[in-house]
Amino acid sequence: MPEGDTVHLTAKRLRAALAGHLLVRGELRHPQLVEHDLAGRTVLDVGSVGKHIFTRFDDGRSLHSHLRLDGAWHLYRPGMPWQRPAHQARAVLETTERTAVGFALHDLELLPTAEEDRLVAHLGPDLLDPAWSDDHAAEALRRFTARGQSELGLVLLEQRVMAGVGNLYKTEVCFLLGLSPWTLVRDVPDPAAAIALARDLLLRNADRPQQSTTGELARGRQHWVYDRGGQRCRRCGTRIRTAKQGDGVYARIAWWCPTCQPGPAPTPHTPTRAH
């Protein structure tokens, strides 16, 4: 599932392309929305909340989309060939200058803009909220510490605690904190620092497609341990281990360095490139 910075950047690019412009084409190809035609509507704004995107129109409605695992919004000039098959398109929003195509958007809903909270009120503070304040940080800390009996890696992924962290940043936050992903939240020495670090990493990458936690953008140098199972730790040279964390549909692969990240850990399995 895309990280919060990817969703943030997607919304930013859609806003730049569509906001303030009249739609000459506004097709919704989702089975529950095919009767709606948005042509003639003006896009007022596009914003993101955590991993949710809202495209807002001048008639008081918003189009909500969630990328899930395989969804994406692409931008084209009118008449350009699409990079994904047309049968995957679930939304086509076109102005005289740009075409926004939403592919594989399994979650798509048209709702009153005033009711957007119905879809995101359950989320914790959005780490990329431009209005982030001490109050947001305090609320994230309250929700985080309330999960004291849970594993750090799982709590970082829980959008009800704070919105925006995916498996990449979960993995890298744990490494930079020097803690095993299986460390219980109650044993995290500085929970506020963990939240601040997660926000900082997202902010560093919010305006670019590359996601670097090391400060380097060269291919293969962008991450400390994420997706590097079996390779040598950049700090100590120990081989990075991988194991599954979580149950059922919530299970994710965790990467960690047993030397730099001491603490509880399961029996590792063969390194994998699964995400």
Side-chain angles (χ1 to χ4, degrees):
M1 189 175 295
E3 308 280 336
D5 56 349
T6 298
V7 178
H8 172 86
L9 182 59
T10 297
K12 180 179 179 179
R13 289 175 168 174
L14 288 172
R15 183 186 313 118
L18 302 177
H21 296 282
L22 181 77
L23 294 181
V24 297
R25 181 182 180 188
E27 300 175 8
L28 300 180
R29 302 179 181 181
H30 191 281
Q32 297 179 351
L33 298 175
V34 290
E35 74 275 14
H36 295 278
D37 185 353
L38 296 175
R41 300 267 60 89
T42 295
V43 177
L44 299 181
D45 188 28
V46 183
S48 62
V49 180
K51 299 186 180 183
H52 301 255
I53 296 174
F54 293 97
T55 304
R56 300 163 183 135
F57 305 101
D58 62 350
D59 63 354
R61 293 185 297 174
S62 295
L63 180 65
H64 165 259
S65 57
H66 194 297
L67 303 183
R68 296 294 174 188
L69 288 173
D70 56 347
W73 280 96
H74 289 189
L75 286 169
Y76 303 96
R77 295 293 177 184
M80 286 180 61
W82 297 351
Q83 295 179 0
R84 291 177 63 166
H87 71 264
Q88 293 183 6
R90 293 295 177 266
V92 183
L93 308 178
E94 184 171 299
T95 71
T96 55
E97 297 182 356
R98 303 300 297 272
T99 302
V101 186
F103 293 101
L105 300 177
H106 307 289
D107 292 356
L108 203 62
E109 182 175 348
L110 197 60
L111 74 161
T113 300
E115 296 180 11
E116 287 181 1
D117 275 355
R118 171 170 60 82
L119 300 179
V120 295
H122 65 288
L123 298 176
D126 180 359
L127 291 169
L128 288 176
D129 188 335
W132 183 269
S133 66
D134 290 344
D135 289 341
H136 290 88
E139 177 60 17
L141 180 61
R142 184 190 69 80
R143 296 182 182 218
F144 184 87
T145 54
R147 306 299 201 278
Q149 301 298 319
S150 300
E151 296 169 356
L152 172 61
L154 298 179
V155 174
L156 287 170
L157 287 173
E158 191 173 342
Q159 302 302 294
R160 292 174 182 267
V161 173
M162 51 186 175
V165 174
N167 206 35
L168 188 160
Y169 290 110
K170 177 266 290 191
T171 299
E172 299 290 278
V173 165
C174 289
F175 176 82
L176 291 169
L177 290 175
L179 297 172
S180 160
W182 290 269
T183 301
L184 296 184
V185 166
R186 71 185 183 194
D187 296 327
V188 175
D190 191 346
I195 295 167
L197 177 59
R199 173 167 156 76
D200 178 63
L201 293 179
L202 284 164
L203 283 171
R204 287 187 208 176
N205 299 296
D207 294 320
R208 64 188 183 198
Q210 300 95 336
Q211 294 169 307
S212 172
T213 56
T214 61
E216 299 186 47
L217 296 178
R219 187 185 180 107
R221 300 289 303 173
Q222 296 175 343
H223 308 135
W224 292 102
V225 292
Y226 176 77
D227 205 18
R228 298 190 63 240
Q231 298 181 50
R232 297 289 184 180
C233 174
R234 300 192 190 284
R235 283 185 175 170
C236 72
T238 302
R239 290 202 180 274
I240 294 164
R241 296 182 180 178
T242 65
K244 185 182 294 185
Q245 185 175 27
D247 299 316
V249 298
Y250 299 104
R252 297 290 184 273
I253 296 298
W255 290 263
W256 83 104
C257 170
T259 299
C260 295
Q261 297 171 260
T267 302
H269 61 65
T270 302
T272 177
R273 299 189 67 82
H275 294 264

